[in-house]
Amino acid sequence: MARRLEARLVNRRLHRTVLAIRPEGYGFVERCSGKPLHVLEWPRAPLRRFAEFCTDYQALMGLETRLAACCGLPAGDILVAPMPYFRKLLPQDVRIYSAGACGSFGLFDKDRDHVRSLEGDYLRTFAVRVIVVPEERERVAHAWERLAALIQEACGSDAGAAAGSPA
């Protein structure tokens, strides 16, 4: 498997997205026009669980093997490309100290719009991707519902009610 992946990198035959999982309300960000790609929107709690699940590399490799088998492909032809857990990348408050009458305060307390803007910037970029070898992209894209079900089952997600939108 490692040699096949190396050859793909060297020859620039990189895996392509067939399923993107984004935070609820941010599926519109995915550019999928004319691509065999499906976008799911999950609430934050299931996305957090999935991101935590993906930190266990043995479990992640097992999931990738199951996803590949589900589509009749060898291990390594389908991969999961997760982003790190939300909290690490979401903006943190800054304490402002003033010599004046107000003393100190948290920036987020004074400027809620700033907080929402920073959080929105992050959520627009967050996505977990299921990627596949390019020659199988069209075929595997048709199996997006089975792939999503395997992911939900593996990470104990209750995102089954989450919105899904075909490309």
Side-chain angles (χ1 to χ4, degrees):
M1 179 171 76
R3 288 192 195 282
R4 281 192 1 256
L5 289 172
E6 177 189 19
R8 287 190 174 283
L9 284 172
V10 169
N11 296 317
R12 305 301 293 163
R13 298 285 300 150
L14 305 174
H15 288 62
R16 301 286 188 243
T17 304
V18 291
L19 179 64
I21 304 170
R22 290 191 161 270
E24 213 166 34
Y26 289 91
F28 72 93
V29 176
E30 194 71 34
R31 290 182 297 190
C32 53
S33 180
K35 297 178 185 174
L37 163 67
H38 292 273
V39 181
L40 299 179
E41 294 183 7
W42 283 10
R44 285 189 188 190
L47 267 177
R48 185 177 306 115
R49 282 193 298 279
F50 187 33
E52 289 170 355
F53 169 85
C54 290
T55 63
D56 179 345
Y57 297 108
Q58 293 289 16
L60 183 58
M61 285 178 58
L63 173 60
E64 290 171 344
T65 300
R66 287 192 302 280
L67 293 171
C70 166
C71 296
L73 296 173
D77 278 9
I78 293 182
L79 302 173
V80 176
M83 282 186 71
Y85 171 62
F86 286 103
R87 197 167 291 149
K88 291 179 181 176
L89 297 176
L90 283 173
Q92 302 297 310
D93 199 0
V94 175
R95 196 99 196 126
I96 306 294
Y97 294 94
S98 172
C102 26
S104 72
F105 58 90
L107 179 60
F108 289 1
D109 294 334
K110 296 289 185 184
D111 193 352
R112 295 303 304 157
D113 289 337
H114 181 64
V115 175
R116 283 189 292 279
S117 174
L118 291 172
E119 192 172 78
D121 287 346
Y122 173 69
L123 293 174
R124 272 190 296 284
T125 64
F126 186 91
V128 175
R129 299 178 180 285
V130 175
I131 59 178
V132 66
V133 293
E135 58 272 16
E136 295 290 348
R137 188 178 191 191
E138 283 282 339
R139 185 177 68 78
V140 171
H142 294 292
W144 71 271
E145 290 175 292
R146 286 183 293 156
L147 298 175
L150 280 171
I151 291 168
Q152 290 168 2
E153 177 187 308
C155 64
S157 172
D158 59 353
S165 59

